[in-house]
Amino acid sequence: MSLKCQVAKTDVVSVENNLTNEGKFSGSKAQGLVCAYYKCRMRWCPSSSFHLLRCVRLRTCTKRRRNTLPLWSREIWAYIRLLVQSFYFNSFTNSDVVFDSVFEPVFWAVDYVTRWFGTVFVFLVVVLTSSILAIAYLILLPMVFRTYSTAWITWHVCYGHWNLVMIVFNYYKATMTAPGYPPTVKNDHPFVAVCKKCIIPKPARTHHCGICNRCILRMDHHCPWLNNCVGYLNHRYFFNFCLFMTLGCVYCSISGRNLFLDAYNAIERFKHMDVEKPGVPVTGMGVLIGLLPPGQTNYQTAAPPYTFKDKMINKSIIYMWVLTSTVAVALGALTCWHAVLISRGETSIERHLNSREKERMESRGRIYKNPFDYGRLNNWKVFFGVQKRSHWLTRVLLPSGHTPPGDGLTWEAFPVKKDLIPV
């Protein structure tokens, strides 16, 4: 008998004796179980191969653990895996979440640049507006007093200064007034979500501003030209500034059109005059017949009929008309868009959210209605804080520092069927 058979027989006898001594099985039954067990082991069954692979894997894993990577590299690898898994962390993940995650560095860079260049944008607004005012007071106003009638002088002076006061007042208030922030301490006001950045409750119509790094009540957008967020407390000032700045630019563009054409033609005429040479050489018979005084060889032309002051005045008029016309078109489009949003009772952010919600409800065969739309007229009344008829003059057409109605934390979610104020 070979050595292998002797070992197998010895194993069978030892196992059989153990089962018999424990008293669980009789001798014949124990011998049968042992034989069946070893027959199964001799066959190449899937369970045996599985155990073999498992043993090999355990041995290789123990060898790998001896050569583990440094802690910092494992942390980086774990962070990369976490980022990849964050793309599909739950069933609510969609293309917008993936897009925001991929372009997060770009958004961060834009927010950083906008935050630090806000002061520069405000400085540009002040400088450009001051340059137009300087041209109006130093060049246009004296011209108006010399050429216009008394009625037109009165109109230009009254309207121009009223428009200027409204622009300066509303821009100052929009820049210096805080947009409104939700409370950071515990309170009893209802909220609809918890901000993922601030980790504080967010009331209805509240959104987080990445540039200000705070939650803003009824946030519309962050305006770099104000270096401030447009929200619940300063939205009216922002819209009034855009409206009256547009009206002022349109006023300058229309009233200065003829001046612009005259200045442009004058500049073109000056260019042609500058091309002409200041002197014409005289030769041949001209010297003999005494066309020039003794010792002079060039015929001196007359001095140009304009001065440096005339040239700068015309260039200033062209600059004013081009700047005001451009701003009137660009800012006028922005003002019209915000007027449409106000008529619908929504902000710029809510416009995007409502559009998505409308598409989602339409896919289900339902109709979505903005819960904060009280009707066009009532939306304007709530926006301007008009509570009686006289407020259309004192709070809309004149500078007013009144606060908007409500507290910005709670909102009526049902449209008002009747007018707040009889018209």
Side-chain angles (χ1 to χ4, degrees):
M1 185 181 294
S2 62
L3 180 61
K4 185 182 294 185
C5 294
Q6 290 179 0
V7 173
K9 187 176 181 181
T10 305
D11 292 341
V12 171
V13 173
S14 61
V15 173
E16 181 181 355
N17 291 335
N18 291 335
L19 293 175
T20 305
N21 293 334
E22 291 178 2
K24 294 182 179 180
F25 304 97
S26 61
S28 60
K29 193 172 183 179
Q31 186 177 4
L33 289 173
V34 172
C35 292
Y37 169 74
Y38 275 94
K39 287 180 181 179
C40 180
R41 285 189 61 184
M42 293 174 68
R43 292 196 304 267
W44 185 260
C45 59
S47 60
S48 300
S49 61
F50 174 76
H51 288 298
L52 178 62
L53 292 175
R54 185 178 181 185
C55 293
V56 172
R57 183 174 180 273
L58 290 174
R59 291 178 64 86
T60 55
C61 289
T62 55
K63 293 181 180 180
R64 289 178 183 176
R65 290 173 184 172
R66 298 173 186 173
N67 300 325
T68 55
L69 296 174
L71 178 61
W72 62 270
S73 61
R74 282 181 289 164
E75 290 179 350
I76 293 176
W77 174 248
Y79 181 69
I80 294 174
R81 290 181 58 188
L82 181 62
L83 287 179
V84 174
Q85 293 175 359
S86 65
F87 292 154
Y88 48 88
F89 68 96
N90 58 24
S91 59
F92 295 100
T93 302
N94 51 22
S95 60
D96 293 337
V97 176
V98 176
F99 181 83
D100 293 342
S101 301
V102 171
F103 285 89
E104 182 66 25
V106 179
F107 298 152
W108 178 85
V110 172
D111 294 344
Y112 184 83
V113 172
T114 306
R115 184 184 303 117
W116 287 103
F117 277 85
T119 307
V120 178
F121 293 146
V122 173
F123 177 76
L124 286 177
V125 173
V126 174
V127 169
L128 293 177
T129 306
S130 301
S131 64
I132 299 300
L133 290 177
I135 294 173
Y137 278 105
L138 298 179
I139 299 176
L140 299 183
L141 199 59
M143 191 179 302
V144 168
F145 287 143
R146 291 195 305 266
T147 58
Y148 284 27
S149 62
T150 305
W152 278 110
I153 292 175
T154 304
W155 155 253
H156 284 293
V157 171
C158 293
Y159 176 80
H161 285 85
W162 169 76
N163 203 340
L164 176 62
V165 170
M166 296 298 292
I167 291 174
V168 174
F169 173 80
N170 286 287
Y171 185 74
Y172 175 80
K173 296 292 289 185
T175 306
M176 304 303 296
T177 302
Y181 310 109
T184 57
V185 297
K186 186 177 180 180
N187 57 82
D188 297 331
H189 293 288
F191 61 94
V192 296
V194 176
C195 180
K196 298 179 182 179
K197 303 292 183 64
C198 301
I199 318 298
I200 61 173
K202 287 199 308 182
R205 313 184 79 178
T206 300
H207 302 280
H208 185 87
C209 176
I211 300 175
C212 297
N213 200 21
R214 297 190 65 176
C215 284
I216 308 298
L217 296 177
R218 208 192 67 154
M219 178 181 174
D220 188 89
H221 69 287
H222 184 94
C223 181
W225 301 103
L226 300 178
N227 195 24
N228 195 8
C229 260
V230 178
Y232 169 70
L233 294 177
N234 63 347
H235 193 182
R236 179 174 63 89
Y237 299 128
F238 165 77
F239 178 78
N240 283 341
F241 164 71
C242 293
L243 175 63
F244 289 106
M245 178 63 81
T246 301
L247 293 177
C249 291
V250 171
Y251 164 73
C252 292
S253 179
I254 294 176
S255 60
R257 177 180 177 275
N258 293 331
L259 295 176
F260 164 75
L261 295 177
D262 295 339
Y264 182 80
N265 293 330
I267 291 295
E268 291 296 323
R269 188 171 59 254
F270 295 161
K271 289 181 180 179
H272 289 296
M273 296 176 64
D274 291 337
V275 173
E276 297 178 359
K277 297 180 180 181
V280 180
V282 178
T283 58
M285 294 298 296
V287 180
L288 298 176
I289 62 177
L291 291 178
L292 297 177
Q296 184 176 346
T297 59
N298 289 342
Y299 177 75
Q300 302 293 333
T301 58
Y306 67 90
T307 61
F308 177 77
K309 179 180 178 181
D310 297 333
K311 198 171 184 178
M312 292 306 299
I313 288 176
N314 288 285
K315 287 187 176 181
S316 299
I317 294 175
I318 294 174
Y319 161 78
M320 182 203 69
W321 191 87
V322 172
L323 179 61
T324 54
S325 300
T326 305
V327 173
V329 173
L331 193 59
L334 179 65
T335 304
C336 292
W337 170 245
H338 278 277
V340 172
L341 294 179
I342 295 171
S343 300
R344 297 174 178 175
E346 57 187 6
T347 61
S348 300
I349 298 177
E350 292 173 353
R351 173 62 178 172
H352 175 67
L353 298 177
N354 291 341
S355 299
R356 294 177 55 187
E357 188 67 17
K358 184 178 179 180
E359 294 177 358
R360 188 179 70 87
M361 297 296 285
E362 287 179 352
S363 63
R364 299 183 179 182
R366 304 176 65 181
I367 299 176
Y368 174 76
K369 183 175 178 59
N370 180 18
F372 308 112
D373 185 6
Y374 308 131
R376 292 182 181 178
L377 182 59
N378 286 326
N379 289 333
W380 284 102
K381 291 178 181 178
V382 172
F383 179 79
F384 284 120
V386 174
Q387 299 177 357
K388 54 184 180 179
R389 292 183 177 179
S390 61
H391 286 170
W392 289 108
L393 174 63
T394 59
R395 293 189 172 185
V396 178
L397 299 179
L398 294 177
S400 176
H402 67 279
T403 57
D407 55 3
L409 302 175
T410 57
W411 301 86
E412 293 186 16
F414 300 98
V416 179
K417 297 297 183 181
K418 61 181 180 179
D419 290 336
L420 300 177
I421 304 171
V423 180

